[in-house]
Amino acid sequence: MKELKELVRPNIWSLAPYSSARNEYAGHTAHVFLDANENPYNKPYNRYPDPLQVKLKQGISKLKGVKPDEIFLGNGSDEAIDLCYRVFCEPKVDNVVAIEPTYGMYKVCADINEIEYRPVLLDDEFHLSADMLLAACDDHTKLIWICSPNNPSGNNMDRSEVVKVLNDFDGIVVVDEAYSDFSKVKTFRSELNKYPNIIVLNTFSKAWGCAAIRLGMAFAQKEIIDIFNKVKYPYNVNALTQDKALELISDYLDVQDWIRLILMERGHMMKAFLDLPICNKVYPTDANFFLAKMTDAQAIYDYLVDKGIIVRNRTRVQLCNNCLRITIGSRNENAELIGALRQYK
C-alpha cells in the first residue's frame, strides 16, 4: 500500500484533535472532578463517558483476538463508514469502488461527502471478481468496499479474491464483517497484521442482539485507529451503551446460544421456502438472513404487510429482481411467516 500519509487527507493528517477534559489527566488517579463543567449531582449520569472506551475495548479485545489499540468504537458501524470517507477521501476529487449490490450506506455516505462512488456488479450468484474491482480503480481511488457475508445476498465473498484485492490495491480496503458471527469462514479481523491496508467492520446489532444501543466496531492497525480517534467526536459512545456492552460481554454464552438457535431456524426456514410454490430459488447464505427469488415479490410483500409481517423487498436492487430478503426471527415469528405464505394465492 501507499504510505498512510499519502492516503489520508492532508487537513486530517495535520489536524490538532479536540482535547477532552477526560483525556488530559489520563494515567492518573482522580476523585474530585472540577474540570469539565459537569453538574455534581445525578450520579453517575452527570459525568461524561470515557472518550476512548478503554474498559470496553479491553473486553472486546479478549473476545475478538484484537489488541485494544487496534479497535475503534463508534455510534453504530455507520460512524466508522462515514469516518473512512472523512479521513481518506477528498470531496469532489477522490473516488471509491464497491461491490454491487451491497449495503446501501456505503453509497449514502459517499454522496454526503461528495465522493464519486463506483459500483462493480457481482455475477449472477453474487460472487466478486478482484480483477473487475481493481480495473474500476484509478489514481484517485482511496477505498474499496467489500461486505462479506454480503447484504443483501448473504454469501461470503471468495477469500482468494478478497486477498488479491488486498495485495494488489495500494489504498484502503474496507471489509465489512457485520454478519461474520453466523459464518464458519475465517475472519479477516484475525489477520490485521498481514494486511496494513485493511479496515474490518463489526457490529453489536446482529449476533449480539443489541441494535438499539448503536455500537459499531472497526479493527485496523494502530496507526489507522489513531487517526479515527483524532477525527471522531470526543464522546461518541455514551455511558449507557458502554455499560450495556460490558454486561453483554460478560454473558457471551447467551450470545452463542442465540447464534446456534438462529442457524438452526435458518435451515428450517430455507427448506420451508424451497417447498413454497411461490418461491423459485433460495440463495446460499452465511448470515442471519437469506435471499429468496419469488414469483411476484411486490405482490407477496404487499400481502405480508397487510398481515402485519414485514420482510425486505429487494426487487429494485440490481441482480435481485423479484427477491425478498428474509431475516431469521424467533421460531414463532418464522412459523407465522411460513403459515401466511402457504395461504397466499
Side-chain angles (χ1 to χ4, degrees):
M1 64 177 284
K2 293 178 181 177
E3 291 293 325
L4 192 58
K5 186 176 181 179
E6 293 182 65
L7 294 172
V8 175
R9 291 169 57 190
N11 67 306
I12 297 298
W13 186 264
S14 60
L15 177 71
Y18 175 79
S19 179
S20 71
R22 291 297 177 262
N23 278 334
E24 291 177 358
Y25 73 90
H28 299 276
T29 301
H31 64 280
V32 176
F33 298 98
L34 303 175
D35 59 333
N37 302 334
E38 299 157 323
N39 189 320
Y41 308 109
N42 194 38
K43 295 180 179 180
Y45 305 112
N46 61 325
R47 300 298 181 192
Y48 287 109
D50 176 3
L52 293 176
Q53 311 96 29
V54 171
K55 187 176 180 181
L56 179 53
K57 286 178 180 176
Q58 289 171 346
I60 292 172
S61 171
K62 295 174 183 175
L63 282 178
K64 298 288 188 177
V66 176
K67 298 173 185 176
D69 60 9
E70 296 175 333
I71 302 172
F72 169 82
L73 299 181
N75 184 355
S77 295
D78 294 340
E79 181 178 4
I81 292 169
D82 186 58
L83 275 174
C84 288
Y85 286 102
R86 290 197 283 140
V87 166
F88 296 108
C89 299
E90 194 71 52
K92 299 182 180 180
V93 174
D94 292 325
N95 65 74
V96 303
V97 169
I99 61 173
E100 176 75 13
T102 194
Y103 181 43
M105 278 304 295
Y106 309 145
K107 185 178 189 308
V108 170
C109 283
D111 292 343
I112 290 170
N113 288 281
E114 296 190 286
I115 306 299
E116 180 190 355
Y117 184 88
R118 299 180 175 183
V120 175
L121 205 62
L122 301 172
D123 69 17
D124 289 342
E125 294 300 318
F126 301 107
H127 299 303
L128 73 82
S129 162
D131 289 337
M132 289 177 64
L133 280 176
L134 294 166
C137 300
D138 62 21
D139 290 342
H140 289 288
T141 305
K142 290 294 189 68
L143 305 172
I144 293 180
W145 294 96
I146 300 173
C147 187
S148 183
N150 190 29
N151 176 10
S153 56
N155 62 304
N156 274 301
M157 297 296 107
D158 183 278
R159 189 177 189 84
S160 63
E161 293 293 295
V162 179
V163 168
K164 183 174 183 180
V165 173
L166 284 163
N167 287 333
D168 293 357
F169 181 56
D170 60 6
I172 300 294
V173 180
V174 187
V175 180
D176 190 341
E177 295 183 336
Y179 300 96
S180 60
D181 293 293
F182 302 103
S183 171
K184 295 180 180 178
V185 173
K186 183 179 181 181
T187 64
F188 280 96
R189 179 192 71 241
S190 61
E191 297 185 321
L192 295 181
N193 61 323
K194 288 180 63 175
Y195 305 109
N197 60 332
I198 195 172
I199 297 174
V200 178
L201 304 182
N202 266 194
T203 178
F204 271 71
S205 296
K206 311 304 178 185
W208 293 77
C210 270
I213 72 172
R214 306 307 301 131
L215 184 62
M217 296 167 276
F219 307 112
Q221 294 199 354
K222 179 181 181 298
E223 292 75 13
I224 293 175
I225 298 301
D226 287 344
I227 296 171
F228 272 37
N229 286 331
K230 182 167 74 167
V231 176
K232 78 174 183 68
Y233 293 117
Y235 305 106
N236 62 323
V237 179
N238 69 71
L240 297 175
T241 290
Q242 293 186 46
D243 289 346
K244 184 60 184 178
L246 282 166
E247 175 188 323
L248 196 62
I249 286 172
S250 68
D251 295 328
Y252 184 60
L253 290 179
D254 289 342
V255 177
Q256 295 295 94
D257 285 341
W258 299 340
I259 293 170
R260 180 180 56 80
L261 290 170
I262 287 169
L263 293 180
M264 184 170 62
E265 282 295 306
R266 186 181 75 185
H268 296 328
M269 286 287 285
M270 292 174 73
K271 183 178 184 302
F273 258 72
L274 284 170
D275 290 338
L276 293 170
I278 57 173
C279 179
N280 290 329
K281 182 174 182 176
V282 173
Y283 290 91
T285 183
D286 298 284
N288 67 328
F289 62 85
F290 61 90
L291 196 67
K293 184 174 284 293
M294 313 302 286
T295 53
D296 189 338
Q298 187 63 55
I300 296 167
Y301 173 82
D302 294 339
Y303 163 79
L304 291 172
V305 169
D306 286 342
K307 290 188 170 295
I309 302 172
I310 309 301
V311 296
R312 195 81 154 115
N313 185 4
R314 301 282 75 189
T315 193
R316 293 181 178 85
V317 174
Q318 288 201 74
L319 301 181
C320 298
N321 182 49
N322 266 330
C323 286
L324 298 178
R325 193 191 70 194
I326 312 297
T327 304
I328 306 302
S330 68
R331 180 170 295 181
N332 288 341
E333 290 170 331
N334 298 335
E336 186 171 350
L337 170 61
I338 293 299
L341 290 175
R342 285 171 178 163
Q343 296 173 23
Y344 177 82
K345 296 179 181 178

